[in-house]
Structures are given as C-alpha cells and as structure tokens.
Amino acid sequence: DDEIALVGRSNVGKSTIMRELTGHSVPTGQKPGVTREPNHFDWSSQSFMFTDLPGFGFMSGVEGEHREAIQTDIVRYIEDNAESILAAVLVVDGKSVIDIIDRHSDRGEIPHDVEMYHFLKEVGIPTVVAVNKMDKVDDTDDRLNDLCDRLGLFPPWQQYEEEVIAPITAKAGRIDSLRTALQHHIRAAKRDEL
Ligand code: GDP
C-alpha cells in the first residue's frame, strides 16, 4: 500500500492539512501527544493513504521523557515502513520555524525539524516541506530563503517550488502548492514502478 506520512511539531497545523487533503476530520482525543499511534486516512480519489504521525517537540503537559518516546516511535515507524512510504510531508509553522531552529542551534542542539528532514532524506523518502500559516508571514521570500538555508538547501527557495518547499495557508484551504508537490512525487514514484 502506498502511503504519505505527515510529520511535524505539534500545533503546526497537521490536522488542518489532513482535513483539507482528505476531507476527513481528525477525531478529538486523537491529538498528537495524546495518542502515539499513527492515524491513517484514505485519499478517496487515489489509491494510497495518509498517515498523521504524532507531533514532536514541545507540548504543554507532556513530559520530556514521553516526548522522547514519541520521537523514537516516529523514527521507528518511518524506518519500518520506508518501503511503502511514497513521500513525506514535513509540516512547519512559517511564522515560528526559523526562530525555533535558531534557538536550538544556538544551544548546540540539532533542531527537530532539521534532524527530521535529514533523516527522511537519509532513508530515501522524498520530502515536501509544507510551510504552513503563511497568512502570518509578511516577508515570504526572506522567510523561505532562510528556511532553505537552515535545511542545507541553496536559496533562492523558488528553485524548490513544486517539489520541496510548499508555502501554504491550510486554515484558509490554500494548499495548492502542497498538492502540486505531492502529485510530482506520486508521478515520479509511478514512473519508477514501470
Ligand atoms: P496540529 O497539532 O499540527 O494537528 O495542528 P492543528 O491542525 O490542530 O492546528 C493548530 C492551530 O493552528 C489551530 O488553532 C489551527 O486553527 C491553526 N492553523 C492551522 N493552519 C493555519 C494557517 O494556515 N494559518 C493560521 N493562522 N493558523 C492555522
């Protein structure tokens, strides 16, 4: 079964994106950090499914140790299912992602988003970075170029448009760039199968 996995810190808008992509809403009580099980959704028009993995990073009310366990589970899930995962969507909050990455880097830590991006590449899973909440970002080009820089991609960000970097506003249903990027990877995967 072909699968598309959504990963990202909690509160970045994964459930909102999932709802926009699939038309299904995430049942309450299934919020990241509460359940550590991946949620599966079918994408009606296509023959693969979306997996909403639990959110990683800081969550109020979730102990550090539990947070670590969630992270380990996500990595294990991806490793175990790498064969069937056609593409991953790493969701970040466009408004805060650079500050969060830089804060961790300044402390000498590897930021979760950066680590996850490299991990996905390492296991050979094509990854789209969905930069959500762009309605809250004024300096779009600067922000997206900064993000490229932090991920080890050379700006300008436009060279990764339609494949890697997908600025979206999920809350308003503006996710066309994500759909385009996913279709690109789906087509590429189908070509490889032939
Ligand atoms: P999750 O924890 O990653 O599943 O995030 P949710 O989908 O629950 O969204 C977290 C919060 O971000 C909610 O209050 C959403 O309404 C809000 N949100 C989601 N997408 C957007 C967006 O594009 N713009 C803005 N401003 N807020 C958004």
Side-chain angles (χ1 to χ4, degrees):
D1 233 8
D2 285 335
E3 176 176 346
I4 294 174
L6 265 83
V7 294
R9 303 180 69 89
S10 45
N11 215 42
V12 292
K14 290 194 304 119
S15 319
T16 308
I17 292 168
M18 187 67 83
R19 195 161 54 233
E20 285 298 323
L21 283 171
T22 66
H24 303 295
S25 58
V26 180
T28 49
Q30 299 261 310
K31 294 301 281 181
V34 177
T35 173
R36 289 159 56 195
E37 296 300 312
N39 295 312
H40 298 276
F41 296 87
D42 298 316
W43 204 6
S44 48
S45 53
Q46 315 248 3
S47 62
F48 47 81
M49 68 181 175
F50 287 91
T51 311
D52 183 12
L53 292 164
F56 54 79
F58 175 79
M59 279 160 277
S60 58
V62 179
E63 299 292 326
E65 210 171 288
H66 184 200
R67 238 180 281 155
E68 288 297 313
I70 291 170
Q71 207 114 328
T72 307
D73 281 0
I74 295 171
V75 167
R76 187 168 305 147
Y77 181 87
I78 292 169
E79 278 173 346
D80 289 350
N81 296 280
E83 289 289 306
S84 60
I85 300 176
L86 186 153
V89 181
L90 172 61
V91 185
V92 300
D93 178 338
K95 180 77 182 170
S96 61
V97 63
I98 302 297
D99 288 345
I100 292 174
I101 287 175
D102 288 352
R103 198 188 317 143
H104 283 89
S105 296
D106 289 348
R107 286 192 212 134
E109 299 161 7
I110 301 168
H112 295 316
D113 291 316
V114 176
E115 189 173 34
M116 190 57 72
Y117 180 75
H118 290 300
F119 166 70
L120 288 163
K121 274 182 73 172
E122 212 176 277
V123 292
I125 298 176
T127 301
V128 179
V129 182
V131 193
N132 193 29
K133 309 198 185 184
M134 289 306 288
D135 57 315
K136 296 209 253 173
V137 175
D138 300 321
D139 51 346
T140 300
D141 288 342
D142 288 344
R143 191 65 58 99
L144 296 174
N145 282 336
D146 282 350
L147 181 59
C148 283
D149 172 73
R150 304 307 189 272
L151 293 175
L153 302 168
F154 296 103
W157 73 272
Q158 283 90 347
Q159 14 177 8
Y160 309 100
E161 212 176 352
E162 310 203 333
E163 262 180 70
V164 182
I165 303 290
I168 59 171
T169 299
K171 204 168 94 174
R174 291 201 292 273
I175 59 162
D176 279 358
S177 59
L178 175 57
R179 286 183 206 275
T180 303
L182 284 176
Q183 293 292 354
H184 168 90
H185 294 298
I186 291 163
R187 270 198 305 274
K190 299 283 177 241
R191 262 201 309 276
D192 287 348
E193 270 174 21
L194 297 177

